[in-house]
Amino acid sequence: MPLSRRRRARIIRGVQYGVLVVAVVVLALVADWHQLRTAFFDVEVAKALFPDIITTALLNTILYTLLGFGFGLALGLVLALMRLSSVPPYRWLAITYIEFFRGIPALLVFIALGFGVPLAFEVALDMNVTVMLSLGLVGAAYMAETIRAGIQAVPKGQTEAARSLGMSQGRAMVSIIIPQAFRIVLPPLTNELILLTKDSSLVYLLGLALDQFELANFGRDALNEHKSLTPILIAGLLYLVITLPLGQLVRRLEARTAKAR
């Protein structure tokens, strides 16, 4: 007797659960739990990381991310307006910038600003300024396209209504269009904030003092010192402390936006 589609799906699902359970049991039986605990969950090593991993590494990660995001957001808004400009050279400049910085790795931008610019112009940039520019220049290319899409998503009737009230084109853009556009693009902008949080780990290329360490660099330095992966695990967990609430915020904003539509 042929099986019904529902029963066949139930059997397949049961087999998948069974395979998963068997894999977990086999892994639990063959794993060297003492070695795993020593390598990843060494309590003494974990205790030695605190409070510096919070007061220095976590705070620096947040600082670098906010500096890059703030600069990138401001530059991204300017680029988005240039991209929508009726003046061709502005559009060409914005497109060239966006395509260039979206096409090269953030790693190269850090190297160029951290080592190339000081050599070429004989200027010593402050470390925070270098991080802000490196993260911001890359982030702006992505945020510009996001903001542009948000501006274009605002109904044209909004602009016409503002102009009918006597507002200039610029005033209508600043007072009516851009605020609505930001409400639309808030979820993707929050995603960009998450990406910049992880990209902030590239700051290690600049050669940091101890009080400038961020989470990834702090974890790697502690790994070399303690010969244990526990610092890497804790650094990863602290990244999640930042990114998981932001991810939850993105989902809520997306749900709210979908409901508003």
Side-chain angles (χ1 to χ4, degrees), residues 11 109 161 214:
I11 292 174
V109 180
E214 42 69 57

Side-chain angles (χ1 to χ4, degrees), residues 148-211:
R148 177 186 62 82
I151 292 174
Q152 290 179 322
V154 177
K156 291 183 179 178
Q158 298 287 326
T159 304
E160 294 168 357
R163 296 301 300 274
S164 68
L165 293 174
M167 291 186 182
S168 64
Q169 182 69 27
R171 176 70 183 279
M173 180 65 74
V174 171
S175 302
I176 305 296
I177 306 303
I178 290 178
Q180 293 188 64
F182 269 95
R183 278 198 290 274
I184 294 171
V185 301
L186 207 48
L189 285 181
T190 310
N191 275 327
E192 184 61 31
L193 181 59
I194 294 174
L195 294 176
L196 287 181
T197 301
K198 292 183 287 186
D199 281 348
S200 68
S201 62
L202 295 173
V203 73
Y204 80 91
L205 290 166
L206 304 178
L208 304 175
L210 287 175
D211 61 347

Side-chain angles (χ1 to χ4, degrees), residues 9-152:
R10 189 180 301 171
I11 292 174
I12 293 173
R13 192 163 54 247
V15 171
Q16 290 173 338
Y17 279 123
V19 171
L20 181 62
V21 170
V22 170
V24 170
V25 171
V26 170
L27 181 63
L29 291 176
V30 301
D32 185 340
W33 291 104
H34 175 73
Q35 184 62 29
L36 284 175
R37 187 188 65 79
T38 304
F40 290 98
F41 309 104
D42 192 319
V43 177
E44 294 305 317
V45 172
K47 287 181 180 177
L49 301 178
F50 291 90
D52 290 345
I53 196 169
I54 299 293
T55 58
T56 300
L58 180 61
L59 289 183
N60 279 337
T61 297
I62 295 172
L63 172 65
Y64 298 153
T65 303
L66 291 180
L67 286 174
F69 185 77
F71 177 67
L73 184 62
L75 181 58
L77 176 59
V78 173
L79 289 168
L81 294 176
M82 290 173 63
R83 183 84 165 77
L84 295 170
S85 172
S86 58
V87 182
Y90 284 136
R91 291 202 307 275
W92 299 337
L93 282 172
I95 292 171
T96 302
Y97 178 95
I98 291 168
E99 295 302 326
F100 178 78
F101 279 98
R102 285 199 310 182
I104 63 172
L107 180 72
L108 296 184
V109 180
F110 268 91
I111 293 174
L113 286 173
F115 303 103
V117 170
L119 284 176
F121 299 99
E122 297 184 350
V123 293
L125 295 177
D126 179 79
M127 211 282 294
N128 286 336
V129 174
T130 305
V131 174
M132 179 184 72
L133 292 176
S134 301
L135 290 177
L137 287 173
V138 176
Y142 293 92
M143 286 188 262
E145 285 296 85
T146 301
I147 296 170
R148 177 186 62 82
I151 292 174
Q152 290 179 322

